[in-house]
Amino acid sequence: MEDHDIVTRRRFLATGAAGVAALAASREAVAQTPTQSPKVHVKALPSEIFIDHGINQETRLETLHGHLTPASHFFVRQHAPTPILDARTWRLRVEGNALQRPVELGFDDLLRLPSRSVTCFVECAGNGRGFFTELMGKVASGTQWHFGGIGVAEWTGVPLGAVLDLAGVRRDTPRDILNVLVEGLDSVKVNRPMSLAKAFEDDTLLAYAFNGEPVPPDHGFPVRAIVPGWVGINNIKWVGRIEVRSSVIDVPTTTKTYILEGPDYPRKPVLRLQTIKSAVALPWGATLPAGRQRIRGFAWSPVGRISRVEYSLDRGSTWQPAALREPNIPRAWARWDFEWDARAGDHVILTRATDDQGNTQPASIPWNVQGYGYNMPVPHPVKVT
Ligand SMILES: Nc1nc2c(c(=O)[nH]1)N[C@H]1C(S)=C(S)[C@@H](COP(=O)(O)O)O[C@H]1N2
Ligand SMILES: [Mo]
């Protein structure tokens, strides 16, 4: 498995390098216009693997067995159909008043820069939204995800900071405001800013590989942003432009969406980090045979390693520790499991994750209009027959 990964990555990078000469000749002549795919998505989306939310597709977590999510199983969330881009004509523009000079890069230029591989999740800010309606009885608008709006992959690419260094960020640029905008080449040009401090973290990438292969079209080919721990929307797919300004960049994804609104959020904070969560790898409303079995699942945190997962079979009166499996990488997920001697009847399984920074899934959270960040332990329904 390991060897296979290395071989495919080498082959991919070699192919990329071989394309450079042809690219140099052709790229001036071809405009960077995405071809529209005949359908919304490129990959197959079988109902055994995905819960169909139309343009958005939720992974059935029970179909995942390893630590990494294969492309065939990775959830899809986007605002417009997948654009079909050509790496040979792809261009990245880096510009803005906080830079010393604008820079333009092609795919081959990116491949020549030092690369880095990061294993982390990409998770939709709305992951778990359906539980606001289903468990709290308060409707939150948007895709009614359970916990399958997440996937973990090994992303390879160039640290975003290395690309910004080519353009030279002015020294007095504020570091903690949302002033680094990444923009996609999809028809609606989805964009979202992050802070300069986040942009310069070693693990913030412009990724050109996903689990050792080119990034699949539906997940951002040829290049997507990877912003570990931050809300899914920051992980812009099909990146085409980056802007760095000396002041906050206001866009609809920070003024209208991806903000916390509601009676408990009078100041309407803009989302940055995801929330710590855990999920059982069983269908919501699972049926299991009576007897001894292993229950398994996933737990993840936007800021650290998972240090503990507990489960309760009595609606939270008592909790027992689940076993944690390696790898357990900060900002990816840890797999957990426990043995259960299941008796016939209706049960619920609660799980609760804690990370090494001391964060635990809370017993209650306030509702918010757009249903972001749901992370209370959920009573996963299981019928034992
Ligand atoms: N260009 C572009 N990037 C995007 C989006 C989009 O609609 N357009 N959706 C964002 C959202 S909301 C999420 S949750 C992630 C989903 O990534 P995935 O489809 O690879 O799972 O991509 C983000 N990047
Ligand atoms: Mo998202």
Side-chain angles (χ1 to χ4, degrees), residues 75 77-79 124 186 190 219 224 232 235 237-238 258:
F75 85 105
R77 194 280 181 254
Q78 57 201 37
H79 297 73
C124 190
D186 36 351
V190 171
H219 300 292
R224 86 172 297 169
N235 298 258
K237 306 193 273 191
W238 319 294
Y258 307 101

Side-chain angles (χ1 to χ4, degrees), residues 34-56:
T35 314
Q36 201 45 67
S37 115
K39 47 194 180 91
V40 172
H41 305 104
V42 171
K43 72 180 181 183
L45 296 160
S47 62
E48 311 86 73
I49 298 176
F50 295 100
I51 299 166
D52 184 7
H53 299 288
I55 195 167
N56 302 321

Side-chain angles (χ1 to χ4, degrees), residues 41 43 55-57 59 74-81 83 122-127 145 149-151 155 182-191 210 215-220 223-226 231-240 253 258 274:
H41 305 104
K43 72 180 181 183
I55 195 167
N56 302 321
Q57 296 285 323
T59 302
F74 209 93
F75 85 105
V76 183
R77 194 280 181 254
Q78 57 201 37
H79 297 73
V122 169
E123 183 190 15
C124 190
N127 196 25
W145 307 98
I150 182 172
W155 306 94
V182 181
E183 186 174 272
L185 292 163
D186 36 351
S187 59
V188 291
K189 290 191 158 27
V190 171
N191 60 25
F210 171 110
V215 176
D218 295 314
H219 300 292
V223 175
R224 86 172 297 169
I226 289 297
V231 283
I233 185 67
N234 273 102
N235 298 258
I236 292 293
K237 306 193 273 191
W238 319 294
V239 173
T253 55
Y258 307 101
Q274 288 291 128

Side-chain angles (χ1 to χ4, degrees), residues 85-140:
L85 300 172
D86 184 343
R88 293 167 305 177
T89 57
W90 176 83
R91 310 292 289 159
L92 170 64
R93 261 194 312 140
V94 186
E95 58 192 17
N97 70 3
L99 299 178
Q100 276 151 7
R101 64 199 89 82
V103 167
E104 213 179 282
L105 298 173
F107 192 66
D108 53 325
D109 300 319
L110 210 59
L111 289 181
R112 271 197 293 268
L113 291 168
S115 83
R116 184 175 175 90
S117 292
V118 174
T119 298
C120 68
F121 63 73
V122 169
E123 183 190 15
C124 190
N127 196 25
R129 177 183 290 124
F131 296 125
F132 279 105
T133 310
E134 206 166 321
L135 299 174
M136 203 184 269
K138 296 186 79 174
V139 177

Side-chain angles (χ1 to χ4, degrees), residues 27 52 215 317 336:
R27 78 175 172 220
D52 184 7
V215 176
S317 300
W336 55 260

Side-chain angles (χ1 to χ4, degrees), residues 177-297:
I177 61 170
L178 298 177
N179 58 345
V180 179
L181 187 76
V182 181
E183 186 174 272
L185 292 163
D186 36 351
S187 59
V188 291
K189 290 191 158 27
V190 171
N191 60 25
R192 213 206 188 230
M194 71 184 97
S195 64
L196 197 60
K198 186 64 181 175
F200 271 89
E201 274 186 17
D202 292 343
D203 286 355
T204 300
L205 301 181
L206 291 173
Y208 47 72
F210 171 110
N211 294 341
E213 303 281 347
V215 176
D218 295 314
H219 300 292
F221 182 88
V223 175
R224 86 172 297 169
I226 289 297
V227 186
W230 280 42
V231 283
I233 185 67
N234 273 102
N235 298 258
I236 292 293
K237 306 193 273 191
W238 319 294
V239 173
R241 193 177 76 92
I242 297 171
E243 183 180 345
V244 187
R245 256 188 237 169
S246 56
S247 56
V248 174
I249 305 182
D250 284 327
V251 285
T253 55
T254 55
T255 58
K256 294 190 167 60
T257 54
Y258 307 101
I259 55 179
L260 293 172
E261 294 174 88
D264 293 278
Y265 300 103
R267 296 176 60 226
K268 300 191 182 186
V270 178
L271 289 174
R272 292 193 183 194
L273 289 174
Q274 288 291 128
T275 56
I276 184 171
K277 300 182 186 72
S278 58
V280 178
L282 284 174
W284 185 256
T287 303
L288 295 176
R292 288 196 83 74
Q293 50 209 300
R294 194 170 289 276
I295 303 296
R296 61 183 191 90

